[in-house]
Amino acid sequence: MARKLRFFKDQMAKAGFLPSPRSSVGINTNLDDLEVKLGEYESEMLEMNSNSEKLQGSYNELLEYKLVLQKASQIFHSAERGAAAQRREVEQQIHDRSIDSPLLVEQEMSTDPSKQIKLGFVSGLVPREKSLAFERILFRTTRGNVYQKQLVVEEPVIDPVSGDKVEKNVFVVFYSGERAKNKILKICDAFGANRYPFTDDIGKQYEIITEVSGKLSELKTTIDIGQLQRVNLLRSIGHEFEQWNFMVKKEKSIYHTLNMLSLDVTKKCLVGEGWCPVFARNQIQNVLNRATVDSNSPVGAIFHVLETKDQPPTYFCTNKFTSAFQEIVDAYGVANYREANPGVYTIVTFPFLFAVMFGDWGHGICLFLATLYFILWEKKLSRQKLGDIMEMAFGGRYVIMLMAVFSIYTGLIYNEFFSVPFELFGRSAYDCRDPSCSDAYTVGLTKARDTYPFGVDPKWRGTRSELPFLNSLKMKMSILLGVAQMNLGIILSYFNAKFFHNDLDIWHQFVPQMIFLNSLFGYLSLLIIIKWCTGSQADLYHVMIYMFLSPTEDLGDNQLFPGQKFLQILLLLMALVAVPWMLLPKPLLLKKQHEQRHRGQSYALLTSTDYDTSELEVSKGSHGHEDFEFSEVLVHQLIHTIEFVLGAVSNTASYLRLWALSLAHSELSTVFYEKVLLLAWGFNNLAILIVGIIVFICATVGVLLVMETLSAFLHALRLHWVEFQGKFYVGEGYKFCPFSFTSIGDDDE
């Protein structure tokens, strides 16, 4: 039945229409009646297809025959006109010579017509791509004793054999003798040239053309009627196709599930093992009881919880808002059972990190409005096929919505609206120093009022101080965000270890990792905050470099607080101690635990003198030593230590992509605004202004709202997968996929 339905679907696709959507009202047809109905429809459809193919083949043959008659007659008419002209010329020459030599003329005129050679000919159509090779082979095999003429058919014709549209030429080959004819026929068969009979009698030619045209008209009418009946049959099938298809798939899925069950020892009942959420136990029991009552079964279904050491599947209850964020995490790897789920934090951190790179509240509003369309019409759009790219955008509509909202927030902080600053939260804190100064965006600004209450002061845009200021702000903000997110990852690794009762990982992984990371980059974050709060001019590059090269050297002007030198030495020593702490204790403690666990287990307890040797062997086998190689454990731990130490540096540097992409987005937006829109405005010409506005809109949408969105999305994805999840997330579990009729997709077979 599924095969027949696939056959109907292919036929509908060839006819150019789709099945009607599945109705919410169920059908009353049972499976046996449906099987009979599908069989009848299939027989009828196969008969229609067979008749249609035969009629179409005959129609194509007659169409080719008509083309041969028309083109070949042109060849013969042209030859006859040429022969008549040549005959007149010869007669004129004979007349001119009759005066000088009448005996020779009389001899030429008395030639017997029966002794003249009559040539045979073969006509048909040959594919145009093979016409040159066809002509060459004919010449070689007959040693040039044929004459061939070809005419091009302007429109492609449908080949009666293959059914494909092919460009062809009409050919006529003249020959002499049966041997040449046999060779020509074999060559025609080899090249797929279709041969058709032709007569050189002009009267019969017109009769045949008239007869062929009449047959073509009749066949065309018959084919159209057959196609109309076929389309009507397919439409009647298409109205109920989706319901039939769902019914068949539903039945197949039931049998597929039953095949996974097994018979018990008595072979009187089926036993199935599976997973279910703990909260659904009572619901499952109630459903089984209701099924027993509905089916009038004398024996009820038994639901029993089994104890197993197999790793359970992972199940996170999501909705249409959180499912896209969970998919972002699952694309990296499905969480192990009861492992900390990064998806909870990704709901906030992912759109925020995107917005740090994309910050512009004008672009954010455009992105929000585009997403709002998907959200307001989601019920209608969810039932349509949108294509691959639009389907992905629609599936992540709530992710994009949060990305847009956070972009509006960071854009307000950066004070950028399509790269233009606005005084939204009050006047700027700066004024021109000299009253005669007309340009406020030059050097010479003085602070005239309180600090701008929210975000970057609008006067900073366009000044010489803008680039260093935004560079410093965004670079240091990137480091703070990166260190905070990496600390969150290490804290989540603590909860993973705590839940799985892995004290070794708590004391010899979590603690030294926190010490190492925060002794260096946590301290750097502290210096950044202190410098912002105090307004100090200390060089943080110098402080961090000489913290390693010369920790005892006096800090001088780079000192931010009392006791900084002593704190730096202490933090440096703690970072140095944390490295061997991560490397050595865990392998040594694992070795000690292994020795204690298996000490004395090679001995068996004898309760009687008459013991069974096999039991002793089983006892020895069951308590045998597990494989433990100290060198392998040490090398494994060494790799993890090196990876974390180097990763702490490289991952912190990786977060600087937040700063780089944010500056790139801002500069691109400025270029489009100043070099396109303002430049067009300066010409004072309406046509140039309209062109400039169109170019500005296209550049903004194509580059900033599409390409830059995709770029920032991918970079935010990388920061979550590598820098954040790499600190704690294993992701080697598998999804909980319960059986459900609603999950049967279009392509599930």
Side-chain angles (χ1 to χ4, degrees), residues 17 65 199 362 490:
F17 62 89
Y65 190 21
T199 178
I490 297 175

Side-chain angles (χ1 to χ4, degrees), residues 319-361:
N319 52 35
K320 63 181 181 181
F321 180 82
T322 59
S323 59
F325 293 98
Q326 189 61 51
E327 288 298 325
I328 290 175
V329 176
D330 291 344
Y332 176 86
V334 179
N336 291 347
Y337 183 62
R338 291 196 169 183
E339 185 180 11
N341 181 20
V344 179
Y345 309 94
T346 303
I347 295 174
V348 175
T349 58
F350 186 86
F352 181 71
L353 292 185
F354 169 87
V356 171
M357 296 179 276
F358 193 77
D360 187 302
W361 61 280

Side-chain angles (χ1 to χ4, degrees), residues 261-282:
L261 305 181
S262 58
L263 289 169
D264 71 332
V265 181
T266 61
K267 296 185 178 181
K268 292 183 179 180
C269 66
L270 290 171
V271 178
E273 296 181 0
W275 301 101
C276 77
V278 175
F279 66 82
R281 286 183 189 175
N282 295 333

Side-chain angles (χ1 to χ4, degrees), residues 140-173:
R140 290 178 179 175
T141 52
T142 60
R143 298 184 180 182
N145 293 320
V146 294
Y147 175 74
Q148 182 184 189
K149 186 71 176 176
Q150 292 191 19
L151 288 179
V152 174
V153 179
E154 292 77 11
E155 297 294 331
V157 295
I158 300 177
D159 188 82
V161 179
S162 64
D164 299 328
K165 278 193 173 183
V166 183
E167 293 182 337
K168 292 189 175 185
N169 291 351
V170 172
F171 68 89
V172 178
V173 181

Side-chain angles (χ1 to χ4, degrees), residues 55-65 158-160 163 196:
L55 291 172
Q56 192 66 44
S58 301
Y59 180 81
N60 294 333
E61 285 183 357
L62 288 174
L63 195 60
E64 283 195 345
Y65 190 21
I158 300 177
D159 188 82
Y196 296 96

Side-chain angles (χ1 to χ4, degrees), residues 596-644:
Q596 290 177 349
R597 189 181 301 119
H598 296 284
R599 184 176 299 161
Q601 289 187 358
S602 59
Y603 300 97
L605 180 63
L606 299 179
T607 55
S608 64
T609 56
D610 188 16
Y611 60 86
D612 189 354
T613 317
S614 61
E615 291 182 0
L616 181 59
E617 293 297 327
V618 171
S619 176
K620 288 177 65 178
S622 62
H623 296 288
H625 289 271
E626 299 175 1
D627 292 335
F628 180 84
E629 291 292 339
F630 177 74
S631 58
E632 292 183 5
V633 176
L634 184 62
V635 169
H636 182 75
Q637 191 65 23
L638 177 63
I639 292 172
H640 275 283
T641 303
I642 295 174
E643 182 183 10
F644 179 81

Side-chain angles (χ1 to χ4, degrees), residues 423 425-433 440 445-453 457-460:
E423 294 183 340
F425 302 99
R427 293 187 60 191
S428 169
Y430 298 92
D431 279 331
C432 194
R433 180 182 302 166
L445 294 175
T446 57
K447 189 169 183 180
R449 55 190 66 85
D450 293 337
T451 305
Y452 192 69
D457 193 293
K459 290 290 186 183
W460 284 92

